[in-house]
Amino acid sequence: MKHLHMDLAKWEFRGCGDEEWLPATVPGTVHTDLLKNGKISDPFYGTNEHDLQWIDKKDWEYQTSLQLGEEWQELACTELVFEGLDTYADVYVNNVHVLAADNMFLAWKVDVKDQLKTGENNIRVKFRSVVKEDLPKLAKLGYALPASNDQSELGGLDEQRISIFARKAPYHYGWDWGPRFLTSGIWRAAALVGRDTVQITDLYIRQNVIAKEEARLTAIVEVDAPAAWRGMLRISADGLEWMQAVTLEEGKQQLVMNIVISEPQLWWCRGFGEPHLYTFQAELIQDAEVEVSKSVKTGLRSIELIRERDVKGASFSFALNGVSVFAKGANHIPNDSFTTEVTEERYRHEIA
């Protein structure tokens, strides 16, 4: 039973067509990489924002090299995993195109076993300019869509507001509280992961009926098996456990188990009780050994929108576990134009 993991953190980058490769930070953005290499001035100083709008008109590429031993060739599955690519990206492994990404908010995973070799391997990610990619979409549409945040004039695009066309953070295009930095890059962690075992890729606890007497739930377990597999699925939570026999086919599939918790500890919002979280764990067991596991924290609660009508109109309130609650909130804007510069400590400080 083998499982190998290699973080991909040592990268270099350049503008497509440029000769010089420069060191890059991953996770990161092209703007912060340019700044760290002394190629641009401080984006937040004075009116420097205006002088940096050329960056989003270029294509950019990142590359890294990895040395792989023969043990990687012995695995049933080897996947390249990008937790976040911003935004239109083509990924090449040893000059073979393996992935086309088009959504900043998704994680991307692709099996690259056939493209890898023992020894040195090259991984390259080319980011296409969002401006060049999306301007034709606006022209084809033939009319404008509402995008009041989009500071297209500052970006040299006149009134061509294109933020609506990309699955990309809208604040990159500018906002009343922030500058326009339409950046790109490998903005979350990247890794090479190999295995010859079954894998639990996701665990979701669906809440069917929640009451103080009992909680009726469905555990939905997504698995990926390199070969046929037979064993037991165990779901556990706070000292409780449920078991059932399972048979897996090769490939990706879903396992479903209905479970009931008597007199559950419910989740309550502030002022009404404890916000209790159950830790649910899914395990695949063969020959009395746990081969793989995955856990998720979930608060058990019912939430209902109350719309009661009378001659004056309709109400709009929520009932949590059958109890009406008063709710109010506030907006929190992104801490920084460049998400990768925000540490957990800084985020917690600003929220607190």
Side-chain angles (χ1 to χ4, degrees):
M1 186 170 69
K2 285 186 178 179
H3 186 98
L4 299 178
H5 182 104
M6 179 183 293
D7 289 318
L8 306 181
K10 190 175 182 180
W11 294 76
E12 54 186 6
F13 84 111
R14 69 180 179 182
C16 291
D18 296 347
E19 291 187 6
E20 183 183 17
W21 287 95
L22 299 168
T25 300
V26 171
T29 73
V30 68
H31 283 72
T32 50
D33 284 332
L34 288 168
L35 180 62
K36 290 172 184 176
N37 282 278
K39 297 299 182 181
I40 62 173
S41 52
D42 183 350
F44 300 119
Y45 183 80
T47 58
N48 286 349
E49 171 194 5
H50 296 243
D51 301 326
L52 302 181
Q53 297 305 309
W54 59 271
I55 297 173
D56 60 43
K57 314 301 187 298
K58 284 178 66 75
D59 298 338
W60 299 90
E61 59 183 343
Y62 285 69
Q63 72 170 7
T64 187
S65 294
L66 15 151
Q67 289 286 336
L68 299 180
E70 293 183 0
E71 67 273 14
W72 284 88
Q73 294 297 320
E74 300 169 357
L75 299 171
C77 176
T78 303
E79 294 176 319
L80 190 57
V81 181
F82 289 99
E83 296 297 335
L85 294 170
D86 179 15
T87 290
Y88 299 117
D90 291 292
V91 180
Y92 301 83
V93 175
N94 293 327
N95 294 319
V96 177
H97 185 264
V98 297
L99 173 65
D102 61 358
N103 190 323
M104 171 183 175
F105 307 113
L106 295 183
W108 301 89
K109 182 186 298 183
V110 58
D111 192 335
V112 293
K113 177 177 170 61
D114 292 341
Q115 286 74 44
L116 295 172
K117 59 187 178 182
T118 300
E120 185 173 0
N121 293 264
N122 175 268
I123 296 176
R124 182 165 55 93
V125 184
K126 178 182 176 181
F127 293 95
R128 305 192 305 279
S129 162
V130 175
V131 171
K132 292 190 293 186
E133 187 83 9
D134 288 344
L135 276 175
K137 298 176 185 177
L138 178 61
K140 183 179 180 180
L141 186 65
Y143 56 87
L145 292 170
S148 57
N149 65 289
D150 194 328
Q151 299 174 10
S152 55
E153 294 86 352
L154 175 61
L157 304 181
D158 297 322
E159 295 184 357
Q160 299 176 97
R161 310 198 192 286
I162 57 173
S163 60
I164 198 72
F165 293 101
R167 293 298 297 144
K168 177 176 175 63
Y171 74 88
H172 288 177
Y173 298 79
W175 214 281
D176 55 2
W177 47 262
R180 183 187 189 276
F181 292 128
L182 196 50
T183 193
S184 58
I186 305 171
W187 76 284
R188 282 180 168 162
L192 188 67
V193 179
R195 58 185 170 85
D196 57 11
T197 62
V198 63
Q199 181 186 39
I200 298 177
T201 56
D202 192 36
L203 170 61
Y204 173 62
I205 304 300
R206 188 176 69 208
Q207 303 187 31
N208 303 315
V209 179
I210 306 296
K212 64 180 181 179
E213 294 80 16
E214 67 177 18
R216 298 181 184 178
L217 314 171
T218 301
I220 302 173
V221 187
E222 292 184 0
V223 297
D224 190 356
W229 186 94
R230 297 184 69 180
M232 301 294 295
L233 169 64
R234 177 167 64 198
I235 304 293
S236 58
D238 290 21
L240 305 171
E241 66 175 47
W242 304 263
M243 303 265 296
Q244 73 180 33
V246 294
T247 300
L248 302 179
E249 301 175 350
E250 180 183 347
K252 299 177 181 179
Q253 55 223 279
Q254 243 183 32
L255 303 175
V256 176
M257 185 190 296
N258 292 317
I259 59 180
V260 176
I261 298 178
S262 298
E263 298 181 344
Q265 288 184 262
L266 300 181
W267 181 96
W268 293 95
C269 61
R270 181 170 180 173
F272 285 78
E274 179 191 357
H276 181 79
L277 296 177
Y278 280 84
T279 299
F280 288 90
Q281 181 163 274
E283 298 169 304
L284 290 174
I285 303 169
Q286 192 176 63
D287 299 328
E289 287 193 11
V290 176
E291 289 212 357
V292 65
S293 66
K294 191 174 185 65
S295 63
V296 64
K297 288 185 177 181
T298 304
L300 302 183
R301 79 288 179 273
S302 66
I303 187 75
E304 181 184 5
L305 173 62
I306 307 300
R307 303 301 308 273
E308 295 177 337
R309 297 184 178 276
D310 59 19
V311 294
K312 295 183 178 180
S315 67
F316 190 101
S317 64
F318 291 97
L320 173 65
N321 300 325
V323 178
S324 294
V325 299
F326 174 72
K328 64 178 180 179
N331 285 336
H332 177 252
I333 65 171
N335 305 52
D336 198 294
S337 293
F338 311 119
T339 309
T340 54
E341 299 303 293
V342 182
T343 63
E344 181 175 348
E345 291 76 15
R346 179 178 165 189
Y347 187 82
R348 286 185 175 277
H349 170 77
E350 294 191 10
I351 293 295

